[in-house]
Amino acid sequence: DKFRARIAFPEYLSIGFNVLYSAWHILFVLGFDSDIKDEVALARPALYKPGPARQLFNIRIFAQWILFGILQGSIAWVIPFAWIGTTEYDKTKPGQFWICSTAAFTSINIIVCMKLVMHCESPFSKWTILPTAGAFLCYIIVLFCLGYTPPGKSFQPNFWHIPGDLLKSTDALLSIACACAAALFPDAVLLTLERFLWPSELSLAKRVKK
């Protein structure tokens, strides 16, 4: 019975992930992202040679993405449940499981948003910060609507007041912080090594520009 397939996240919370929380803002972040000035790019086209040479997307990098995704997804799920702990499961009413589940799902959303910010060319640009904050705000709004409105209670009865219960739980908040930090640590290490030990020609050109 303990190994039965069950819903891990509240359905009406997770249903918005691919559109509201993790997709639309990427159009703005990538669409307005920039690295160097146009005149520098035109004068030094060789800076973009790694793209056609498949140095930025190949089997090794794709495998790295998959491994990081598995690792980070596992961390986001395991740490909240290991930290808070629960054996109960009731899909019809709120409980400890759904606090853990929401903590894990919140960690996933934070990790996805932060990875985008960390890996884009202009992480501190308004076109990076504002859309990303907007996507996370969408998540907060959905949390409120499902947890504190009559339609939310009707659609997702097991989520009633769960956001407030999560905020009141120090363990839940700490598990989110630790899960995000642990999951993003490999990206931080990799980006630091790439910046200081084997920077690309484009990265060096950006430093000169500054």
Side-chain angles (χ1 to χ4, degrees):
D1 181 67
K2 293 182 180 179
F3 293 96
R4 275 193 305 165
R6 292 172 170 175
I7 298 298
F9 301 119
E11 304 97 308
Y12 285 94
L13 178 65
S14 62
I15 200 172
F17 180 78
N18 289 329
V19 177
L20 294 177
Y21 322 143
S22 67
W24 66 266
H25 67 294
I26 296 178
L27 300 177
F28 293 93
V29 175
L30 298 185
F32 291 94
D33 200 15
S34 62
D35 41 35
I36 56 178
K37 294 181 179 179
D38 292 344
E39 52 267 28
V40 177
L42 292 173
R44 302 177 61 185
L47 292 175
Y48 297 94
K49 187 178 179 180
R54 299 186 64 182
Q55 296 178 18
L56 305 179
F57 184 71
N58 49 50
I59 293 177
R60 179 184 61 81
I61 290 178
F62 183 74
Q64 175 187 300
W65 291 352
I66 297 299
L67 290 174
F68 273 32
I70 294 172
L71 174 65
Q72 291 166 333
S74 300
I75 289 173
W77 175 264
V78 169
I79 287 183
F81 275 86
W83 193 306
I84 304 170
T86 181
T87 57
E88 65 173 297
Y89 183 95
D90 191 336
K91 192 180 175 182
T92 63
K93 62 181 182 180
Q96 189 78 351
F97 178 89
W98 300 111
I99 295 176
C100 295
S101 173
T102 305
F105 195 67
T106 301
S107 300
I108 291 172
N109 281 277
I110 294 174
I111 291 166
V112 169
C113 287
M114 288 305 300
K115 278 179 70 74
L116 177 64
V117 173
M118 292 169 67
H119 286 272
C120 71
E121 295 290 341
S122 306
F124 301 108
S125 165
K126 65 179 180 180
W127 293 110
T128 300
I129 301 299
L130 293 180
T132 303
F136 196 74
L137 178 61
C138 289
Y139 177 64
I140 299 299
I141 292 172
V142 173
L143 284 176
F144 173 80
C145 290
L146 290 177
Y148 297 98
T149 64
K153 186 176 183 180
S154 174
F155 290 140
Q156 199 78 67
N158 57 338
F159 201 71
W160 190 243
H161 288 180
I162 288 294
D165 294 338
L166 186 151
L167 290 175
K168 293 175 185 177
S169 171
T170 302
D171 286 339
L173 296 176
L174 287 174
S175 72
I176 292 173
C178 290
C180 293
L184 293 170
F185 181 73
D187 287 275
V189 171
L190 184 62
L191 289 171
T192 301
L193 292 175
E194 289 178 350
R195 176 177 176 82
F196 293 105
L197 295 185
W198 51 82
S200 66
E201 292 294 328
L202 182 59
S203 297
L204 294 174
K206 287 174 62 179
R207 294 183 199 177
V208 172
K209 180 190 74 169
K210 295 177 182 180

